[in-house]
Amino acid sequence: MEFFLDTADVDEIREIASWGILDGVTTNPSLIKKSGRDFKTVVAEIAEICNGPISAEVTAMDTDGMLTQARALKAELPENVIIKIPCTPEGLAATKVLTEEGIDTNVTLIFSASQALMAAKAGATYVSPFIGRIDDTGADGMALIAEIMTTWANYDVDTKVLAASIRHPTHVLQCMQLGAHTATMPTKIFKQLITHPLTDKGLDGFMKDWAEVEAAGNA
Ligand code: G3P
């Protein structure tokens, strides 16, 4: 079970990494835009903060362009950067070549089990089904995770299922119950997974009582 952050905000990544359980980070062109920073600079910084796989996405639409960008990213950025590739025929071909070159990939924008299967056949290290965006259409994103995991169970598939586009903590828990290998989530959801109002209330009560123990000289 791996927990990734889905952000290019280095302050947030640093904060969550300090908890000691951050396994990786995913970025995409929209998250890089939101950061307002230079793509390679921010990905390199993220890769220094977190030792796990850091997804950096190619933006070329053709296979050769994807391969050129992927090789440049691998040459210029830290070793733990992996290549995020869109789930298109051209992306499939690029994934196959990169796999043969020993470069790890994350095939993204997956909305069907057949797409996940095709990416796995191309040797993808990760496939990223987008749960929340499916939910947004009125369909059931979690049903896709279930479908993919059922398919995986029938064969000896090495590709990890990375649940993406996660909208709330229950999404994460349901993915884990279905056996998804990885979930990538915004910082807010990472924090929601560890907080509970009864924990806060209970701790407040313990601290108040302890202050009285100390005041009585019994600490
Ligand atoms: O990183 C890809 C995915 O997690 C995007 O999520 O919230 O833009 O649908 P979202």
Side-chain angles (χ1 to χ4, degrees), residues 55-71:
S55 292
E57 189 158 343
V58 295
T59 50
M61 301 297 283
D62 63 299
T63 303
D64 285 345
M66 288 178 190
L67 290 173
T68 301
Q69 289 182 349
R71 289 170 185 143

Side-chain angles (χ1 to χ4, degrees), residues 6-10 12 28-38 42 186-188:
D6 194 28
T7 181
D9 184 318
V10 291
E12 291 183 2
N28 62 38
S30 302
L31 293 171
I32 297 296
K33 177 189 160 189
K34 195 173 166 194
S35 79
R37 301 185 60 200
D38 174 75
V42 75
T187 306
K188 179 186 162 193

Side-chain angles (χ1 to χ4, degrees), residues 6 26-28 31 84 108 130 132-133 164-167 184:
D6 194 28
T26 50
T27 69
N28 62 38
L31 293 171
K84 204 172 187 187
T108 189
F130 277 31
R133 293 194 194 185
S165 186
I166 280 176
R167 298 273 195 264
T184 190

Side-chain angles (χ1 to χ4, degrees), residues 11-166:
D11 291 332
E12 291 183 2
I13 295 166
R14 215 169 263 120
E15 181 187 355
I16 302 299
S18 74
W19 297 359
I21 59 157
L22 180 62
D23 297 306
V25 178
T26 50
T27 69
N28 62 38
S30 302
L31 293 171
I32 297 296
K33 177 189 160 189
K34 195 173 166 194
S35 79
R37 301 185 60 200
D38 174 75
F39 173 41
K40 287 177 187 167
T41 305
V42 75
V43 171
E45 204 171 318
I46 294 168
E48 295 299 330
I49 299 167
C50 176
N51 293 331
I54 311 301
S55 292
E57 189 158 343
V58 295
T59 50
M61 301 297 283
D62 63 299
T63 303
D64 285 345
M66 288 178 190
L67 290 173
T68 301
Q69 289 182 349
R71 289 170 185 143
L73 289 170
K74 284 304 291 180
E76 294 170 39
L77 293 171
E79 185 61 33
N80 56 327
V81 170
I82 71 169
I83 307 302
K84 204 172 187 187
I85 299 182
C87 189
T88 59
E90 295 78 11
L92 212 59
T95 300
K96 178 79 177 170
V97 173
L98 292 174
T99 301
E100 284 165 359
E101 292 179 7
I103 294 174
D104 286 350
T105 54
N106 172 5
V107 177
T108 189
L109 287 165
I110 285 183
F111 294 92
S112 73
S114 63
Q115 287 182 309
L117 195 56
M118 297 289 268
K121 276 185 69 66
T125 314
Y126 291 94
V127 288
S128 288
F130 277 31
I131 303 169
R133 293 194 194 185
I134 293 175
D135 287 354
D136 292 344
T137 68
D140 181 4
M142 205 54 63
L144 173 59
I145 301 294
E147 197 181 353
I148 293 171
M149 296 319 298
T150 301
T151 309
W152 258 226
N154 288 336
Y155 301 96
D156 192 16
V157 186
D158 289 333
T159 303
K160 291 181 178 177
V161 177
L162 193 172
S165 186
I166 280 176

